[in-house]
């Protein structure tokens, strides 16, 4: 038997974070390991009228030079506590009709940084870990570096702050993505270090996992400790063809405090794809040797 679910929402109001706990809300969060911004759609009821008015006004696209208002989502169970599962900037806030004081909020990770310009240059050669550290600092993120070390030559960047992450991914030939307040840099196609989580009916899997164009999709009861980029092992008694080890490339949570939604949907690459980077590097070396032959 599961204990009560917990959702805590923090919203920046007049420069201070206001936290809402126990309010009726619906949350949809989508994260991915590509350059797409992580997104959150939040519907929250029973806010004070002046809070609704403030957020609706301050998130208007017609306000010039506005500072984005922050939103943070934490979720879990009463017995295990909550985990931070989203940080982002509010891009829109739409009020609902009376008598409910409801508000629908759309937020995107690091959205405000899209409008900040930066120039970054490095020495003729720089280690990938050091370059990753510089990019994380520019984005005000903690760094989780799990990639093989390599040397980057003649790095130069000029553009929006957050687009450095895409540039880092290209020059390092690695996976780079934001997860909450972390910049994750890991080897292309490989899972992050740590525990391989078993996904089965015993661990909360609901429905039947199915193949998709990139690997497999599986749905389970929401578990905030399962992270984007993590390795999982699916064990299905109904569809045994999907059983095996995978890496999460998309993480989608649908949560509600006053309805049945409490699910996590994972889209995953087959774990065999982690060999792509090694095969690509081996082919480069083979081609280089061929080009040097007389």
């Amino acid at each position: 038997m599961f204990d009560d679910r917990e959702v805590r929402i923090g919203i920046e109001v007049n420069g201070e974070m206001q936290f809402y706990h126990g309010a009726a809300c619906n949350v949809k969060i989508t994260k991915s390991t590509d350059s797409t911004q992580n997104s959150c759609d939040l519907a929250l009821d029973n806010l004070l009228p002046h809070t609704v008015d403030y957020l609706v006004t301050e998130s208007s696209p017609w306000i010039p030079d506005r500072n984005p208002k922050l939103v943070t989502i934490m979720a879990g169970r009463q017995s295990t506590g909550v985990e931070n599962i989203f940080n982002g900037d509010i891009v829109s806030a739409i009020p609902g009709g009376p008598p409910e004081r409801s508000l629908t909020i759309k937020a995107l990770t690091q959205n405000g940084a899209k409008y900040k310009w930066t120039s970054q240059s490095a020495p003729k050669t720089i280690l990938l870990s050091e370059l990753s550290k510089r990019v994380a600092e520019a984005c005000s993120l903690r760094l989780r570096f799990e990639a093989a070390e390599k040397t980057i030559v003649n790095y130069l960047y000029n553009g929006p702050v957050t687009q450095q992450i895409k540039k880092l991914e290209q020059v390092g030939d690695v996976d780079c993505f934001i997860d909450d307040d972390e910049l994750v840099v890991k080897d292309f196609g490989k899972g992050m270090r740590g525990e391989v989580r078993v996904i089965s009916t015993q661990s909360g899997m609901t429905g039947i996992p199915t193949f998709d164009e990139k690997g497999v999709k599986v749905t389970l009861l929401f578990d905030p400790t399962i992270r984007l980029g993590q390795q999982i092992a699916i064990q299905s008694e109904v569809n045994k063809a999907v059983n095996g080890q995978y890496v999460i490339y998309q993480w989608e949570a649908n949560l509600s405090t006053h309805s049945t939604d409490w699910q996590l949907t994972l889209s995953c690459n087959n774990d065999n794809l982690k060999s792509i980077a090694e095969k690509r590097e081996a082919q480069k070396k083979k081609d280089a040797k061929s080009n040097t032959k007389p």
Side-chain angles (χ1 to χ4, degrees):
M1 182 175 181
F2 293 104
D3 55 344
D4 289 341
R5 59 187 70 171
E6 293 265 355
V7 178
R8 298 179 188 174
I9 299 166
I11 301 175
E12 184 182 1
V13 179
N14 290 316
E16 296 184 359
M17 291 299 290
Q18 304 273 0
F19 286 91
Y20 301 90
H21 179 213
C25 66
N26 294 284
V27 182
K28 179 180 179 180
I29 297 170
T30 303
K31 305 178 186 180
S32 63
T33 58
D34 58 22
S35 57
T36 304
Q37 289 172 277
N38 299 338
S39 66
C40 174
D41 293 288
L42 167 66
L44 185 62
D45 291 341
N46 299 317
L47 294 174
L48 294 174
H50 65 81
T51 300
V52 173
D53 291 341
Y54 172 82
L55 292 172
V56 170
T57 302
E58 289 298 311
S59 63
S60 168
W62 308 121
I63 296 180
D65 301 322
R66 63 181 177 87
N67 293 319
K69 304 301 177 283
L70 304 178
V71 61
T72 183
I73 309 292
M74 293 169 283
R77 297 272 183 182
Q78 282 189 351
S79 64
T80 55
V82 296
E83 298 273 348
N84 185 21
I85 59 172
F86 181 83
N87 296 319
D89 300 329
I90 296 175
V91 295
S92 70
I94 302 173
E100 292 84 3
R101 297 189 302 273
S102 63
L103 189 65
T104 300
I105 291 173
K106 174 80 172 181
L108 296 171
T109 297
Q110 291 274 316
N111 195 68
K114 290 196 308 184
Y115 308 105
K116 297 178 182 178
W117 207 262
T118 187
S119 294
Q120 181 97 247
S121 61
K124 186 175 180 180
T125 61
I126 186 172
L127 292 176
L128 177 61
S129 59
E130 178 60 29
L131 181 57
S132 299
K133 182 180 178 182
R134 293 189 184 189
V135 173
E137 289 174 349
C139 297
S140 300
L141 297 167
R142 295 184 295 112
L143 175 64
R144 180 168 180 170
F145 185 84
E146 297 190 0
E149 190 66 278
K150 62 184 69 173
T151 300
I152 306 301
V153 180
N154 296 328
Y155 179 82
L156 178 64
Y157 177 80
N158 185 37
V161 171
T162 53
Q163 288 300 308
Q164 289 182 98
I165 296 173
K166 187 174 182 179
K167 174 79 169 181
L168 179 63
E169 186 175 60
Q170 292 171 343
V171 300
D173 197 19
V174 289
D175 287 333
C176 302
F177 58 91
I178 297 174
D179 190 10
D180 302 331
D181 61 348
E182 281 188 334
L183 174 63
V184 179
V185 181
K186 66 180 184 68
D187 290 327
F188 177 77
K190 292 187 177 180
M192 294 193 300
R193 298 168 190 160
E195 177 188 8
V196 178
R197 294 291 297 272
V198 175
I199 307 298
S200 66
T201 53
Q202 288 72 33
S203 63
M205 182 172 67
T206 60
I208 302 172
T210 57
F211 289 113
D212 63 14
E213 65 277 8
K214 291 185 178 181
V216 69
K217 181 174 288 188
V218 61
T219 301
L220 59 151
L221 292 175
F222 176 71
D223 183 343
T225 64
I226 296 177
R227 312 297 293 185
L228 186 66
Q230 186 175 6
Q231 296 179 77
I232 64 169
I234 295 177
Q235 296 179 359
S236 172
E237 292 295 325
V238 178
N239 187 4
K240 295 184 178 181
V242 304
N243 289 350
Q245 193 162 303
Y246 299 85
V247 177
I248 302 167
Y249 72 84
Q250 183 170 296
W251 183 104
E252 182 178 298
N254 286 277
L255 310 175
S256 177
T257 55
H258 288 64
S259 70
T260 58
D261 285 341
W262 195 257
Q263 291 186 325
L264 183 60
T265 300
L266 307 175
S267 297
C268 314
N269 288 321
N270 191 295
D271 191 52
N272 290 331
L273 290 179
K274 69 183 180 181
S275 64
I276 290 177
E278 285 88 347
K279 290 179 180 178
R280 185 161 54 186
E281 188 63 27
Q283 186 62 45
K284 286 181 181 178
K285 292 179 180 179
K286 183 179 178 181
D287 293 341
K289 288 181 180 180
S290 298
N291 293 333
T292 58
K293 289 182 178 180

Coordinates of all heavy atoms in Angstrom, one line a residue, residues 171-247:
V171 N 31.5 19.8 -30.2 CA 32.9 19.7 -30.2 C 33.5 18.6 -29.4 O 34.5 18.0 -29.7 CB 33.5 21.1 -29.7 CG1 33.1 22.2 -30.6 CG2 33.2 21.3 -28.3
G172 N 32.7 18.1 -28.4 CA 33.1 17.0 -27.5 C 32.7 15.7 -28.0 O 33.1 14.7 -27.5
D173 N 31.7 15.7 -28.9 CA 31.1 14.4 -29.4 C 30.6 13.6 -28.2 O 30.8 12.4 -28.0 CB 32.1 13.6 -30.2 CG 31.5 12.5 -31.0 OD1 30.3 12.6 -31.3 OD2 32.2 11.5 -31.4
V174 N 29.8 14.3 -27.4 CA 29.2 13.8 -26.2 C 27.8 14.1 -26.0 O 27.2 14.9 -26.8 CB 30.0 14.3 -24.9 CG1 31.4 13.7 -24.8 CG2 30.1 15.8 -24.9
D175 N 27.1 13.6 -25.1 CA 25.7 14.0 -24.7 C 25.8 15.1 -23.6 O 26.5 14.9 -22.6 CB 25.0 12.8 -24.1 CG 24.5 11.8 -25.2 OD1 24.4 12.2 -26.3 OD2 24.4 10.6 -24.8
C176 N 25.2 16.2 -23.9 CA 25.1 17.3 -22.9 C 23.7 17.7 -22.7 O 23.0 18.0 -23.7 CB 25.9 18.5 -23.4 SG 27.6 18.2 -23.7
F177 N 23.2 17.8 -21.5 CA 21.9 18.2 -21.2 C 21.7 18.8 -19.8 O 22.5 18.5 -18.9 CB 20.9 17.1 -21.5 CG 21.1 15.9 -20.6 CD1 20.5 15.7 -19.4 CD2 22.0 14.9 -21.1 CE1 20.7 14.6 -18.6 CE2 22.2 13.7 -20.3 CZ 21.6 13.6 -19.1
I178 N 20.7 19.6 -19.6 CA 20.4 20.1 -18.3 C 19.3 19.2 -17.6 O 18.3 18.9 -18.2 CB 19.8 21.5 -18.4 CG1 20.8 22.5 -19.0 CG2 19.4 22.1 -17.0 CD1 20.3 23.9 -19.3
D179 N 19.6 18.9 -16.4 CA 18.6 18.2 -15.5 C 18.5 18.9 -14.2 O 19.5 18.9 -13.4 CB 19.0 16.7 -15.3 CG 17.9 15.9 -14.7 OD1 16.8 16.4 -14.6 OD2 18.2 14.7 -14.3
D180 N 17.4 19.6 -14.0 CA 17.2 20.5 -12.8 C 18.3 21.5 -12.8 O 18.5 22.3 -13.7 CB 17.2 19.6 -11.6 CG 16.0 18.6 -11.6 OD1 15.0 18.9 -12.3 OD2 16.2 17.5 -11.0
D181 N 19.2 21.5 -11.8 CA 20.3 22.5 -11.6 C 21.6 21.9 -12.0 O 22.7 22.5 -11.6 CB 20.3 23.0 -10.2 CG 20.6 22.0 -9.2 OD1 20.6 20.8 -9.5 OD2 20.9 22.3 -8.0
E182 N 21.7 20.8 -12.8 CA 22.9 20.2 -13.2 C 23.1 20.3 -14.7 O 22.1 20.1 -15.5 CB 23.0 18.7 -12.8 CG 23.3 18.5 -11.4 CD 23.5 17.0 -11.1 OE1 23.0 16.2 -11.8 OE2 24.3 16.7 -10.2
L183 N 24.3 20.5 -15.2 CA 24.7 20.2 -16.5 C 25.4 18.9 -16.6 O 26.4 18.7 -15.9 CB 25.7 21.3 -17.1 CG 26.2 21.0 -18.5 CD1 25.1 21.0 -19.5 CD2 27.3 22.1 -18.8
V184 N 24.8 17.9 -17.3 CA 25.3 16.6 -17.4 C 26.1 16.4 -18.7 O 25.6 16.8 -19.8 CB 24.1 15.5 -17.3 CG1 24.7 14.1 -17.5 CG2 23.4 15.7 -16.0
V185 N 27.3 16.0 -18.6 CA 28.1 15.7 -19.8 C 28.6 14.2 -19.7 O 29.3 13.8 -18.7 CB 29.4 16.6 -19.8 CG1 30.2 16.3 -21.0 CG2 28.9 18.1 -19.8
K186 N 28.1 13.4 -20.6 CA 28.4 12.0 -20.5 C 28.8 11.5 -21.9 O 28.5 12.1 -22.9 CB 27.3 11.2 -20.0 CG 26.0 11.2 -20.8 CD 24.9 10.4 -20.1 CE 23.7 10.2 -21.0 NZ 23.9 9.4 -22.2
D187 N 29.4 10.3 -22.0 CA 29.7 9.7 -23.3 C 28.5 9.5 -24.1 O 27.4 9.1 -23.6 CB 30.5 8.4 -23.1 CG 31.9 8.6 -22.5 OD1 32.5 9.6 -22.9 OD2 32.3 7.7 -21.7
F188 N 28.6 9.7 -25.4 CA 27.5 9.6 -26.3 C 26.8 8.2 -26.3 O 27.5 7.1 -26.4 CB 28.0 9.8 -27.8 CG 27.0 9.7 -28.8 CD1 26.0 10.6 -29.0 CD2 26.9 8.5 -29.6 CE1 25.1 10.5 -30.0 CE2 26.0 8.3 -30.6 CZ 25.0 9.3 -30.8
G189 N 25.5 8.2 -26.0 CA 24.8 7.0 -26.0 C 24.9 6.1 -24.8 O 24.2 5.1 -24.7
K190 N 25.7 6.5 -23.9 CA 25.9 5.7 -22.7 C 25.1 6.2 -21.5 O 24.8 7.4 -21.4 CB 27.4 5.6 -22.3 CG 28.3 4.9 -23.3 CD 29.7 4.8 -22.7 CE 30.6 4.0 -23.7 NZ 32.0 3.8 -23.1
G191 N 24.7 5.3 -20.6 CA 24.0 5.7 -19.4 C 24.9 6.3 -18.4 O 26.2 6.1 -18.4
M192 N 24.4 7.0 -17.4 CA 25.2 7.6 -16.4 C 25.6 6.5 -15.4 O 25.0 5.5 -15.3 CB 24.3 8.7 -15.6 CG 24.0 9.9 -16.5 SD 23.4 11.3 -15.5 CE 21.9 10.6 -14.8
R193 N 26.7 6.8 -14.7 CA 27.2 5.9 -13.7 C 26.3 5.7 -12.6 O 25.5 6.6 -12.2 CB 28.6 6.4 -13.2 CG 29.6 6.6 -14.3 CD 30.8 7.3 -13.8 NE 31.7 7.7 -14.8 CZ 32.6 8.7 -14.8 NH1 32.7 9.4 -13.6 NH2 33.4 8.9 -15.8
G194 N 26.3 4.5 -12.0 CA 25.5 4.2 -10.8 C 24.6 3.1 -11.1 O 24.8 2.3 -12.0
E195 N 23.6 3.0 -10.2 CA 22.7 1.8 -10.2 C 21.9 1.7 -11.5 O 21.4 2.7 -12.0 CB 21.7 2.0 -9.0 CG 20.7 0.9 -8.9 CD 19.6 1.2 -7.8 OE1 19.7 2.3 -7.3 OE2 18.8 0.3 -7.5
V196 N 21.8 0.5 -12.0 CA 20.9 0.2 -13.1 C 19.5 -0.2 -12.5 O 19.4 -1.2 -11.8 CB 21.4 -1.0 -14.0 CG1 20.4 -1.3 -15.1 CG2 22.8 -0.6 -14.6
R197 N 18.5 0.6 -12.7 CA 17.2 0.4 -12.1 C 16.4 -0.7 -12.8 O 16.3 -0.6 -14.0 CB 16.4 1.7 -12.0 CG 17.1 2.7 -11.1 CD 17.0 2.4 -9.6 NE 15.6 2.3 -9.2 CZ 14.9 3.3 -8.7 NH1 15.5 4.5 -8.7 NH2 13.7 3.2 -8.4
V198 N 15.9 -1.6 -12.1 CA 15.0 -2.7 -12.7 C 13.6 -2.1 -12.7 O 13.1 -1.7 -11.7 CB 15.1 -4.0 -11.8 CG1 14.1 -5.0 -12.4 CG2 16.5 -4.5 -11.8
I199 N 13.0 -2.2 -13.9 CA 11.6 -1.7 -14.1 C 10.8 -3.0 -14.4 O 10.9 -3.6 -15.4 CB 11.5 -0.7 -15.3 CG1 12.5 0.4 -15.1 CG2 10.1 -0.3 -15.4 CD1 12.2 1.3 -13.8
S200 N 9.9 -3.3 -13.5 CA 9.0 -4.5 -13.6 C 7.7 -4.2 -12.8 O 7.6 -3.1 -12.2 CB 9.7 -5.7 -13.0 OG 9.9 -5.5 -11.6
T201 N 6.8 -5.1 -12.9 CA 5.5 -4.9 -12.2 C 5.8 -4.8 -10.7 O 5.1 -4.1 -10.0 CB 4.5 -6.0 -12.5 OG1 5.2 -7.3 -12.2 CG2 4.1 -6.0 -13.9
Q202 N 6.8 -5.5 -10.2 CA 7.1 -5.4 -8.8 C 7.7 -4.1 -8.4 O 7.5 -3.7 -7.2 CB 8.2 -6.5 -8.4 CG 7.6 -8.0 -8.4 CD 7.4 -8.5 -9.8 OE1 8.1 -8.1 -10.8 NE2 6.4 -9.3 -10.0
S203 N 8.3 -3.3 -9.3 CA 8.8 -2.0 -9.0 C 7.9 -0.9 -9.4 O 8.3 0.3 -9.4 CB 10.2 -1.9 -9.6 OG 10.1 -1.9 -11.0
G204 N 6.7 -1.2 -9.9 CA 5.7 -0.1 -10.2 C 5.4 0.1 -11.6 O 4.7 1.0 -12.0
M205 N 5.9 -0.8 -12.5 CA 5.6 -0.7 -13.9 C 4.1 -0.9 -14.2 O 3.5 -1.8 -13.6 CB 6.4 -1.7 -14.7 CG 6.1 -1.6 -16.3 SD 7.3 -2.7 -17.2 CE 6.7 -4.3 -16.7
T206 N 3.5 0.0 -15.0 CA 2.1 -0.1 -15.3 C 1.9 -0.3 -16.8 O 2.7 0.2 -17.6 CB 1.3 1.1 -14.9 OG1 1.8 2.2 -15.5 CG2 1.4 1.3 -13.4
G207 N 0.9 -1.1 -17.2 CA 0.7 -1.3 -18.6 C 1.8 -2.2 -19.2 O 2.5 -2.9 -18.5
I208 N 2.0 -2.2 -20.5 CA 2.9 -3.1 -21.2 C 4.0 -2.2 -21.9 O 3.6 -1.3 -22.7 CB 2.2 -4.0 -22.2 CG1 1.2 -4.8 -21.5 CG2 3.2 -4.9 -23.0 CD1 0.3 -5.6 -22.4
P209 N 5.3 -2.4 -21.7 CA 6.3 -1.6 -22.4 C 6.2 -2.0 -23.9 O 6.0 -3.1 -24.3 CB 7.6 -2.1 -21.8 CG 7.3 -3.4 -21.2 CD 5.9 -3.4 -20.8
T210 N 6.5 -1.0 -24.8 CA 6.4 -1.2 -26.2 C 7.6 -0.6 -26.9 O 8.2 0.3 -26.4 CB 5.1 -0.5 -26.8 OG1 5.1 0.9 -26.4 CG2 3.8 -1.1 -26.2
F211 N 7.9 -1.2 -28.1 CA 9.0 -0.6 -28.9 C 8.5 0.7 -29.6 O 7.3 0.9 -29.9 CB 9.3 -1.6 -30.0 CG 10.0 -2.8 -29.6 CD1 9.5 -4.1 -29.7 CD2 11.3 -2.7 -29.0 CE1 10.1 -5.2 -29.2 CE2 12.0 -3.9 -28.6 CZ 11.4 -5.1 -28.7
D212 N 9.4 1.6 -29.8 CA 9.2 2.8 -30.6 C 10.3 3.0 -31.6 O 11.2 2.1 -31.7 CB 9.0 4.1 -29.7 CG 10.2 4.4 -28.9 OD1 11.3 3.9 -29.2 OD2 10.1 5.3 -28.0
E213 N 10.4 4.1 -32.3 CA 11.4 4.3 -33.3 C 12.8 4.3 -32.8 O 13.8 4.1 -33.6 CB 11.1 5.5 -34.2 CG 11.2 6.8 -33.4 CD 10.0 7.2 -32.6 OE1 9.1 6.4 -32.5 OE2 9.9 8.3 -32.1
K214 N 13.0 4.6 -31.6 CA 14.4 4.7 -31.0 C 14.7 3.6 -30.1 O 15.9 3.5 -29.7 CB 14.6 6.1 -30.4 CG 14.6 7.3 -31.3 CD 14.9 8.5 -30.6 CE 15.0 9.7 -31.5 NZ 15.3 11.0 -30.8
G215 N 13.8 2.9 -29.6 CA 14.0 1.9 -28.6 C 12.8 1.4 -28.0 O 12.0 0.6 -28.6
V216 N 12.5 1.8 -26.8 CA 11.3 1.3 -26.0 C 10.7 2.4 -25.2 O 11.4 3.3 -24.8 CB 11.7 0.1 -25.2 CG1 12.6 0.5 -24.0 CG2 10.4 -0.7 -24.7
K217 N 9.4 2.3 -24.9 CA 8.7 3.3 -24.0 C 8.0 2.4 -22.9 O 7.4 1.4 -23.2 CB 7.7 4.1 -24.8 CG 6.9 5.1 -24.0 CD 6.0 6.0 -24.8 CE 6.8 7.0 -25.6 NZ 6.0 8.0 -26.3
V218 N 8.2 2.9 -21.7 CA 7.6 2.2 -20.6 C 7.0 3.2 -19.6 O 7.6 4.3 -19.4 CB 8.7 1.3 -19.9 CG1 9.9 2.2 -19.4 CG2 8.1 0.5 -18.8
T219 N 5.9 2.8 -18.9 CA 5.3 3.7 -18.0 C 5.2 3.0 -16.6 O 5.0 1.8 -16.5 CB 3.8 4.0 -18.4 OG1 3.9 4.6 -19.7 CG2 3.1 4.9 -17.5
L220 N 5.5 3.8 -15.6 CA 5.5 3.3 -14.2 C 4.9 4.3 -13.3 O 4.7 5.5 -13.6 CB 6.9 2.9 -13.8 CG 7.9 4.0 -13.8 CD1 9.0 3.7 -12.8 CD2 8.6 4.0 -15.2
L221 N 4.6 3.9 -12.0 CA 4.2 4.8 -11.0 C 5.4 5.8 -10.8 O 6.6 5.4 -10.8 CB 3.9 4.1 -9.7 CG 2.6 3.3 -9.8 CD1 2.5 2.5 -8.4 CD2 1.4 4.1 -10.0
F222 N 5.1 7.1 -10.6 CA 6.1 8.1 -10.5 C 7.1 7.8 -9.4 O 6.8 7.5 -8.3 CB 5.5 9.5 -10.2 CG 6.5 10.6 -10.0 CD1 7.2 11.0 -11.0 CD2 6.7 11.1 -8.7 CE1 8.2 12.0 -10.8 CE2 7.6 12.1 -8.5 CZ 8.3 12.6 -9.6
D223 N 8.4 7.9 -9.8 CA 9.5 7.7 -8.8 C 10.5 8.8 -9.1 O 11.2 8.8 -10.1 CB 10.1 6.3 -9.1 CG 11.2 6.0 -8.1 OD1 11.8 6.9 -7.4 OD2 11.6 4.8 -8.0
P224 N 10.6 9.8 -8.2 CA 11.5 10.9 -8.4 C 13.0 10.6 -8.4 O 13.8 11.4 -8.9 CB 11.2 11.9 -7.3 CG 10.7 11.0 -6.2 CD 10.0 9.9 -6.9
T225 N 13.4 9.4 -8.0 CA 14.8 9.0 -8.0 C 15.3 8.4 -9.3 O 16.5 8.2 -9.5 CB 15.0 7.9 -6.9 OG1 14.3 6.7 -7.2 CG2 14.6 8.5 -5.5
I226 N 14.4 8.2 -10.3 CA 14.8 7.8 -11.6 C 15.1 9.0 -12.4 O 14.3 9.9 -12.5 CB 13.7 7.0 -12.3 CG1 13.4 5.7 -11.5 CG2 14.0 6.7 -13.7 CD1 12.3 4.8 -12.1
R227 N 16.3 9.1 -13.0 CA 16.8 10.3 -13.6 C 17.0 10.2 -15.1 O 17.2 9.1 -15.6 CB 18.2 10.7 -12.9 CG 18.2 10.6 -11.4 CD 17.3 11.6 -10.8 NE 17.7 13.0 -11.0 CZ 17.1 14.1 -10.5 NH1 16.0 13.9 -9.7 NH2 17.5 15.3 -10.7
L228 N 16.9 11.3 -15.7 CA 17.2 11.4 -17.2 C 18.7 10.9 -17.4 O 19.6 11.3 -16.7 CB 17.0 12.8 -17.6 CG 17.1 13.1 -19.1 CD1 16.0 12.5 -19.9 CD2 17.1 14.6 -19.3
G229 N 18.8 10.1 -18.4 CA 20.2 9.6 -18.8 C 20.6 8.4 -18.0 O 21.7 7.8 -18.2
Q230 N 19.7 7.9 -17.1 CA 20.0 6.7 -16.2 C 19.9 5.4 -17.0 O 19.1 5.4 -18.0 CB 19.2 6.7 -15.0 CG 19.5 5.6 -14.0 CD 18.6 5.8 -12.7 OE1 17.7 6.6 -12.6 NE2 18.9 5.0 -11.7
Q231 N 20.5 4.4 -16.6 CA 20.3 3.1 -17.2 C 19.2 2.3 -16.5 O 19.2 2.4 -15.2 CB 21.6 2.2 -17.1 CG 22.8 2.8 -17.9 CD 24.0 1.9 -17.8 OE1 24.1 0.9 -18.4 NE2 25.0 2.4 -17.0
I232 N 18.4 1.7 -17.2 CA 17.3 0.8 -16.6 C 17.3 -0.5 -17.2 O 17.9 -0.7 -18.4 CB 15.9 1.5 -16.8 CG1 15.5 1.5 -18.3 CG2 15.8 2.8 -16.1 CD1 14.1 1.9 -18.5
A233 N 16.8 -1.5 -16.6 CA 16.7 -2.9 -17.1 C 15.2 -3.2 -17.0 O 14.6 -3.3 -15.9 CB 17.5 -3.9 -16.3
I234 N 14.5 -3.4 -18.2 CA 13.1 -3.8 -18.2 C 12.9 -5.3 -18.1 O 13.6 -6.0 -18.8 CB 12.5 -3.2 -19.5 CG1 12.5 -1.7 -19.5 CG2 11.0 -3.7 -19.7 CD1 12.0 -1.1 -20.8
Q235 N 12.0 -5.7 -17.2 CA 11.6 -7.1 -17.1 C 10.1 -7.2 -17.2 O 9.4 -6.9 -16.2 CB 12.1 -7.6 -15.7 CG 13.6 -7.6 -15.6 CD 14.1 -8.1 -14.2 OE1 13.3 -8.4 -13.3 NE2 15.4 -8.1 -14.0
S236 N 9.7 -7.6 -18.4 CA 8.2 -7.7 -18.6 C 7.9 -9.2 -18.8 O 8.5 -9.9 -19.6 CB 7.8 -6.9 -19.9 OG 6.5 -7.1 -20.2
E237 N 6.8 -9.6 -18.2 CA 6.3 -11.0 -18.3 C 5.4 -11.1 -19.5 O 5.2 -12.2 -20.1 CB 5.6 -11.4 -17.1 CG 6.5 -11.6 -15.8 CD 7.5 -12.7 -16.0 OE1 7.2 -13.7 -16.7 OE2 8.6 -12.6 -15.5
V238 N 4.8 -10.0 -20.0 CA 3.8 -10.0 -21.0 C 4.5 -9.8 -22.4 O 4.3 -10.5 -23.4 CB 2.8 -8.9 -20.8 CG1 1.8 -8.9 -22.0 CG2 2.0 -9.1 -19.5
N239 N 5.4 -8.8 -22.5 CA 6.1 -8.5 -23.7 C 7.6 -8.8 -23.5 O 8.4 -7.8 -23.3 CB 5.9 -7.1 -24.2 CG 6.5 -6.8 -25.6 OD1 7.0 -7.7 -26.2 ND2 6.4 -5.6 -26.0
K240 N 8.0 -10.0 -23.6 CA 9.4 -10.4 -23.2 C 10.4 -9.9 -24.3 O 11.6 -9.8 -24.0 CB 9.5 -11.9 -23.0 CG 8.7 -12.4 -21.8 CD 8.9 -13.9 -21.6 CE 8.2 -14.3 -20.3 NZ 8.3 -15.8 -20.1
A241 N 9.9 -9.5 -25.5 CA 10.8 -9.1 -26.5 C 11.5 -7.8 -26.2 O 12.6 -7.5 -26.7 CB 10.0 -8.9 -27.8
V242 N 10.9 -7.0 -25.3 CA 11.5 -5.7 -24.9 C 12.5 -5.8 -23.8 O 13.2 -4.9 -23.5 CB 10.4 -4.7 -24.6 CG1 9.4 -4.5 -25.7 CG2 9.7 -5.0 -23.3
N243 N 12.6 -7.0 -23.2 CA 13.4 -7.1 -22.0 C 14.9 -6.9 -22.3 O 15.4 -7.3 -23.3 CB 13.3 -8.5 -21.4 CG 11.9 -8.7 -20.7 OD1 11.2 -7.8 -20.5 ND2 11.6 -9.9 -20.3
G244 N 15.5 -6.1 -21.5 CA 16.9 -5.8 -21.7 C 17.3 -4.5 -21.0 O 16.5 -3.9 -20.2
Q245 N 18.5 -4.0 -21.3 CA 19.0 -2.8 -20.7 C 18.9 -1.6 -21.6 O 19.2 -1.7 -22.8 CB 20.5 -3.0 -20.2 CG 21.0 -2.0 -19.3 CD 22.2 -2.5 -18.6 OE1 22.2 -3.5 -17.9 NE2 23.3 -1.7 -18.7
Y246 N 18.5 -0.4 -21.1 CA 18.3 0.8 -21.9 C 18.8 2.0 -21.2 O 19.1 2.0 -20.0 CB 16.8 0.9 -22.1 CG 16.1 -0.2 -22.9 CD1 15.7 -1.3 -22.2 CD2 16.0 -0.1 -24.3 CE1 15.1 -2.4 -22.9 CE2 15.4 -1.2 -25.0 CZ 14.9 -2.3 -24.3 OH 14.3 -3.3 -25.0
V247 N 18.9 3.1 -21.9 CA 19.3 4.4 -21.4 C 18.1 5.4 -21.6 O 17.7 5.5 -22.8 CB 20.6 4.9 -22.1 CG1 20.9 6.3 -21.5 CG2 21.7 4.0 -21.8

